[in-house]
Structure formats: structure tokens, C-alpha cells
Amino acid sequence: MSLLHEKSEREWAEIARWWRDDVLSRRLSGLANSYYFQRGDAWRGEFGLREIFDRDPGLQGRTVNGVTFRPPRDLDSRTGKLLVFATAYAPVKADLLARGLVEFQDFMRAADFLTLWNWVEHRRTAVQLLVTAPTLKCTLRCASCCMSVPRQPQPRTENLKGLLRDLDRLMEFVDHMQFLGILGGEPLLHPDLATYIEAALTRYPDQIGEVHVTTNGTVAPGAELLRVGRERRVFFSVSDYSSAGLSGYAEKLARTLNLLRENGVAHKVAPQTLWNPYFSDSRLNIDRSGHYRRCLDGPRCPGFNGGKISPCLVAWGGDQCGLVSAAPGDFTDLRELDPARDDHRLRVVTAALGRGGPLPLCDRCYGGDAAVWPGPVPAAAQEVRRAD
């Protein structure tokens, strides 16, 4: 079965037809809870989710945002279509196919459905997530950094004017974005991060559901960023690298978490112990097309930087450091498109879903493809700095 961005508009319309009765009668269910459901605003109202099946016993029997959580064993008694919220879609998809369900007819990735339904039914461009990296400067030099930070000869930092110019251009095409993700480098090193976030949510209060900031916890958020985080729809994901035994790290992490708690800023702590390495020292012996498709069935991270959408922020990072050289077709350049044209707006939608690959970096990147992972490495192991 093809990925959604590979299908024609006629096929999109056929999928919407299969789902229409269940949407209108509010008979949709969800599988596997994630912050993509819990946060943002895309799943309130129209879709009327009745229940979510989740393996977390702490959720089962509870009602969150009007939706009841049930154990996965109750899946067989569900009614209606099934939206998959799991970040790693591939294993859930495999299980559902083994149960005899048909992808796109009986179940589909929630992010894909959000996009498809809005386009077919309302001619709205809606995406779950686009991620920008305002700076590639970082306080750490993780050897397996997905953004190639240790390889960056001169880590790029975009100024506030450029960030807002690019955001304004993007929002000419996007009617709704559940999450604006901010990554790095370490994003809290950007001097105008608070101003950027407040401007984004002030200019586009109905188009951006929430801003999601990922930080390594080493940089204390300043007073202005804490105010914006408290007063605006902002969520911090703090990666906890305590297992790496980094000198002075525990104290810095504790300081950051205390400030977030004391100021009432929404956040979660994500302990990191093992990573799958991203890059190979030599080219991988792979089928690039199959590798890219399997990667897209894992956690997606489409990027938006410099006025261009990339189906993979990791590939953009590799291009910035010279690890690979991007070709024109690898990115969707919004400066070349017209927001008044439906076919151009649809190109933005499909770019966020993965259109544009496979990419040059696929030859060197293990990515989210479990079929080629070489095995885990310690999280946040630091690259030794070379002498000048």
C-alpha cells in the first residue's frame, strides 16, 4: 500500500468517502495515546473521537478531553474507523494488518487523516507538525546527534527577522498546523526565541495549535521565555541525558526543571538512555526507496527552514554541515509557489507528508528504519573535540 503523499487526489477523495459516514456519525476510535492527541487542538470537536485504546494501565478507565481510554484487548469490540496516534506507526500498522484490517479503509495514521480530511472536505491545508531549527549552536556535541551538530563547521543561527519572514510565508499556505516544533542545536541559545514564539502565536492564533520546544535542559530559560511559556500555548519537552554522566549536567537539568515548574510552564521530561545511531561512516547497502518509505512509517520530522519545507529535518541538518548536498527537488521552496493556487497549496501539504524523498542523506542515514539499525548506542555520548 502506498504512502498518502504518493496517492492522487482521486484516491484521497475515495478514502474520504470510506470514512465519511463514521466521521458524521462520530464513530471514530483512536489507538495508542500520544501528545499529538493530548496537546494542540486538532482533535477537538469535528472528529468526535469516542475512545482510545492504549496499553498504559494508568490511562485505562480514565476520560481525557472527553475521550475514554480502554485496554488494547477491547479493540475487537470497537465500532467505527481507527486512527493511529502512535509516533512509531510501523509496528502498530503491522499488528493491525495481521488482524485483517485494511490500511486507509479501516485504519490510518491520525496525522494523515487530519491532512486528508481537511483537504478533501474543506480545501484546507492542515498539517500535524512542521519543525524549525532557529539555531544549530548547542551546548553539547553528541556523537549521534540527528542534526549533525558536531559536524557543523559554523553552526547556523537565523536572525529574528528571517525567522518571522519565513513563518509569514509559510502561513500564507497553511490553514492549520497542530504543532510548530522548535528544535536545534539547543533552541534556548537563540537570543530571540521568546520573541519569536510570542509573535508566532500572536500573528496566527487560529492557525497554530501549539508551539513545542525541545531542549536538552542545559540552558536556563530566561524570564521572558518563562512568561511566554506560561501565558501562551507552549510546551517544553526536556530531554534528560542524566544516564550519560556528563559533568555538571544534573545541576543544569535540575535548574531548568525547577524554573519550568515554579513558573507553571507546561512540560514533560523525556529520559534518554539509548539511541539508535543516525549516520554511517560509509554508504549503506540499501534500496533507497524502500529505506525512505520505512523511515516515514516511523516518527516523522518534516522541517521548515530558510523558506523551504524538507520532508526530513535530519536531511536539512546534513545538508547544512556539508555531509551531503541537497538537490533542488529535495525541498519545496515556498518562494517559488503561489498561495492562491490550489495545486501549489497541495504541494505544501504533500511535502509535510514526505513528498521529496528519497534524499541524498538516505545513503548514510539509518533514520527511523528498524530494518537497517545497527544496534543501540549510549544516548548523548560526546564526540571528542579535535585539536586545532
Side-chain angles (χ1 to χ4, degrees):
M1 187 70 73
S2 62
L3 297 167
L4 188 64
H5 75 267
E6 298 171 325
K7 294 181 177 295
S8 66
E9 283 201 75
R10 181 186 60 79
E11 291 173 304
W12 279 32
E14 179 68 3
I15 295 171
R17 184 183 66 80
W18 289 332
W19 285 68
R20 193 167 288 120
D21 287 346
D22 293 78
V23 173
L24 295 178
S25 59
R26 309 179 80 78
R27 291 190 303 144
L28 300 183
S29 298
L31 176 62
N33 188 28
S34 75
Y35 63 76
Y36 292 125
F37 165 73
Q38 293 182 64
R39 309 208 60 84
D41 59 353
W43 302 103
R44 312 289 183 259
E46 178 179 6
F47 301 120
L49 290 176
R50 299 174 53 169
E51 55 203 355
I52 286 185
F53 302 91
D54 191 275
R55 64 183 180 182
D56 182 356
L59 284 170
Q60 294 163 14
R62 292 180 55 198
T63 298
V64 179
N65 295 325
V67 180
T68 301
F69 281 78
R70 297 171 58 187
R73 64 174 178 270
D74 292 348
L75 264 173
D76 292 337
S77 64
R78 70 178 176 84
T79 57
K81 301 290 193 293
L82 191 62
L83 294 170
V84 179
F85 286 90
T87 304
Y89 178 59
V92 177
K93 172 181 172 179
D95 176 67
L96 295 178
L97 292 174
R99 291 170 178 260
L101 276 65
V102 178
E103 188 179 21
F104 296 118
Q105 291 190 38
D106 301 313
F107 74 93
M108 65 186 298
R109 196 171 191 151
D112 289 352
F113 176 77
L114 172 71
T115 298
L116 178 144
W117 185 262
N118 273 279
W119 183 258
V120 173
E121 296 294 320
H122 307 300
R123 269 305 185 262
R124 298 176 74 239
T125 58
V127 297
Q128 177 174 269
L129 169 73
L130 283 172
V131 184
T132 188
T135 182
L136 288 174
K137 293 180 179 179
C138 193
T139 53
L140 302 178
R141 291 178 59 84
C142 300
S144 293
C145 175
C146 65
M147 292 301 291
S148 307
V149 163
R151 296 179 173 88
Q152 302 289 341
Q154 293 182 316
R156 170 185 178 275
T157 294
E158 180 63 84
N159 61 41
L160 178 62
K161 182 178 179 181
L163 289 172
L164 293 176
R165 178 195 63 229
D166 291 341
L167 179 66
D168 288 341
R169 182 60 175 168
L170 174 66
M171 301 314 292
E172 290 184 55
F173 292 87
V174 176
D175 295 306
H176 188 267
M177 176 165 52
Q178 188 177 2
F179 293 99
L180 170 61
I182 299 180
L183 198 63
E186 170 48 55
L188 270 65
L189 289 176
H190 197 287
D192 297 309
L193 181 62
T195 303
Y196 174 67
I197 293 173
E198 183 151 50
L201 293 174
T202 299
R203 295 183 187 190
Y204 306 104
D206 300 321
Q207 289 169 264
I208 298 176
E210 185 171 75
V211 172
H212 189 278
V213 182
T214 300
T215 173
N216 63 28
T218 61
V219 179
E224 186 64 7
L225 184 58
L226 290 167
R227 181 193 65 78
V228 172
R230 181 177 61 252
E231 297 178 359
R232 298 288 187 172
R233 300 187 307 274
V234 183
F235 185 71
F236 283 77
S237 178
V238 185
S239 299
D240 180 353
Y241 297 135
S242 297
S243 65
L246 304 175
S247 176
Y249 178 79
E251 294 79 6
K252 294 175 182 177
L253 176 65
R255 178 189 59 190
T256 294
L257 294 178
N258 285 336
L259 285 169
L260 294 174
R261 282 192 293 264
E262 291 168 0
N263 286 272
V265 178
H267 66 281
K268 71 172 182 178
V269 181
Q272 307 284 322
T273 55
L274 293 173
W275 283 345
N276 280 289
Y278 267 87
F279 302 113
S280 169
D281 291 333
S282 58
R283 292 184 63 179
L284 300 173
N285 183 21
I286 56 169
D287 163 38
R288 294 174 75 243
S289 178
H291 177 46
Y292 181 73
R293 289 167 58 84
R294 290 190 298 271
C295 191
L296 286 184
D297 262 352
R300 291 183 192 161
C301 193
F304 177 71
N305 292 281
K308 300 177 182 179
I309 296 177
S310 168
C312 173
L313 188 69
V314 173
W316 175 82
D319 179 68
Q320 289 295 300
C321 72
L323 184 63
V324 293
S325 295
D330 296 340
F331 303 106
T332 300
D333 192 339
L334 300 187
R335 294 166 296 188
E336 299 174 353
L337 302 182
D338 180 356
R341 290 180 53 173
D342 267 5
D343 58 332
H344 284 193
R345 294 169 65 233
L346 181 58
R347 284 179 61 185
V348 172
V349 165
T350 54
L353 291 175
R355 173 188 171 273
L359 303 161
L361 191 66
C362 294
D363 288 334
R364 299 278 303 276
C365 180
Y366 300 114
D369 184 359
V372 299
W373 280 340
V377 296
Q382 297 295 288
E383 180 174 288
V384 177
R385 292 181 183 272
R386 299 181 180 89
D388 293 333

